[in-house]
Amino acid sequence: MAQNPYLAIERGAPGRIGWRIHYFDEIDSTQEAARELAANGADQGTLVIAEQQNAGRGRMGRTWHSPSGVNLYTTIILRPPIPLADVPRMSLVAGVAAAEALERDAPGIVALKWPNDVWLHGRKAGGIIAEAVTDARQNLDCVLLGIGLNINLAAEDIPPDLRDKATSMRIATGHACDRIAIADSLFNLLDSRYMETLTRGFDAVRPAWERFSALTGRRIAIVDGGRRQSGVVKGIDGTGALLLDIGDRVERVVAGEVSVEGAYE
């Protein structure tokens, strides 16, 4: 294992996010490393950071483009006392913390695309996955909260087929950013937002998510399985479901692949 540059931001007691940071120069996946640590009893707040992932993945099993030494790839072990059905809300909570952390260096250009994308200037700069791990009785054991943020990725390092869809803090702001400082801010904000959610419910965090929403008021198409719907986004409700005005009624959408109709400004 390489020397850990994130050691300086490791702080607090077990339970606080970032109290223990396991760092790898190269790894297959931070999710899998965190899964093994969790299975061996790692406390809540333990996290894994890697400079490069060889098998990093995002939502719906997609591969996450993971070049070395420029971005932030992390998985946080959470052990929330919540029902299994509430786990997807953790990705929304993490989205708020990620947006707030990036906003300090990129004011006015950070947005969240439901359910788990971080945008800068309308292009994807990050993704979040909240993966539930259950015990033998199918009760929630822990949540593996994976976060990938493009920090200092250069435009020429983005695969050609993604250059009109992906971006980074460096591209969006025009300058390199301090990854350690962004990570420190992210973990502190996530710790605060996570505890706020546990003590006061998701409604306490929802206004912050709405402030960053890239979709509210926009017409979108959403595909879930073989079903396709189109409508105008009204926001999210207290469970994290997307509220979609389809003309004669407003429907709750709990899952699906979203595409924005028309150019994003």
Side-chain angles (χ1 to χ4, degrees):
M1 188 181 297
Q3 184 176 357
N4 183 359
Y6 293 89
L7 195 60
I9 65 171
E10 193 179 75
R11 65 171 66 92
R16 181 173 181 183
I17 292 171
W19 81 279
R20 180 63 48 80
I21 300 174
H22 295 265
Y23 172 81
F24 298 86
D25 185 60
E26 186 174 344
I27 198 173
D28 284 344
S29 164
T30 60
Q31 290 288 109
E32 295 311 311
R35 187 190 312 280
E36 184 175 346
L37 287 167
N40 289 325
D43 287 302
Q44 172 170 278
T46 302
L47 59 90
V48 176
I49 293 178
E51 289 292 343
Q52 182 175 12
Q53 299 183 101
N54 297 319
R57 58 190 175 84
R59 186 169 162 265
M60 302 178 73
R62 293 191 179 97
T63 299
W64 183 265
H65 180 59
S66 306
S68 179
V70 292
N71 298 328
L72 177 63
Y73 313 119
T74 185
T75 297
I76 301 115
I77 298 171
L78 300 177
R79 298 190 183 274
I82 61 174
L84 191 60
D86 289 354
V87 169
R89 296 181 203 171
M90 292 295 101
S91 66
L92 299 177
V93 174
V96 170
E100 290 174 331
L102 296 183
E103 187 181 38
R104 296 179 179 185
D105 287 321
I109 65 171
V110 185
L112 295 172
K113 179 193 173 193
W114 185 92
N116 72 330
D117 287 351
V118 181
W119 280 7
L120 296 170
H121 282 315
R123 294 186 178 186
K124 185 171 179 175
I128 299 162
I129 179 172
E131 182 181 355
V133 177
T134 56
D135 61 20
R137 296 184 178 182
Q138 295 303 300
N139 294 317
L140 182 64
D141 179 59
C142 69
V143 176
L144 304 179
L145 186 64
I147 304 174
L149 297 175
N150 293 342
I151 306 297
N152 289 322
L153 186 69
E156 58 269 23
D157 291 329
I158 298 176
D161 60 325
L162 296 177
R163 286 177 184 169
D164 63 340
K165 301 175 183 177
T167 190
S168 71
M169 286 286 285
R170 176 180 173 181
I171 296 167
T173 65
H175 60 81
C177 297
D178 186 334
R179 288 188 302 156
I180 309 298
I182 288 175
D184 188 33
S185 180
L186 170 64
F187 301 147
N188 280 310
L189 287 162
L190 180 56
D191 189 74
S192 176
R193 289 299 190 181
Y194 172 68
M195 294 308 300
E196 185 179 23
T197 302
L198 293 186
T199 56
R200 298 174 53 204
F202 180 71
D203 263 330
V205 178
R206 180 162 61 115
W209 194 96
E210 291 276 18
R211 181 170 74 85
F212 288 106
S213 175
L215 300 182
T216 301
R218 298 189 63 84
R219 177 166 290 278
I220 67 163
I222 186 162
V223 177
D224 183 16
R227 187 186 185 206
R228 185 183 189 278
Q229 283 186 303
S230 181
V232 176
V233 175
K234 307 302 288 185
I236 58 174
D237 68 11
T239 71
L242 192 71
L243 300 175
L244 189 66
D245 186 343
I246 60 173
D248 59 341
R249 65 188 185 279
V250 174
E251 286 206 359
R252 294 177 66 255
V253 179
V254 298
E257 194 68 10
V258 173
S259 59
V260 179
E261 298 184 350
Y264 183 87
E265 297 178 357

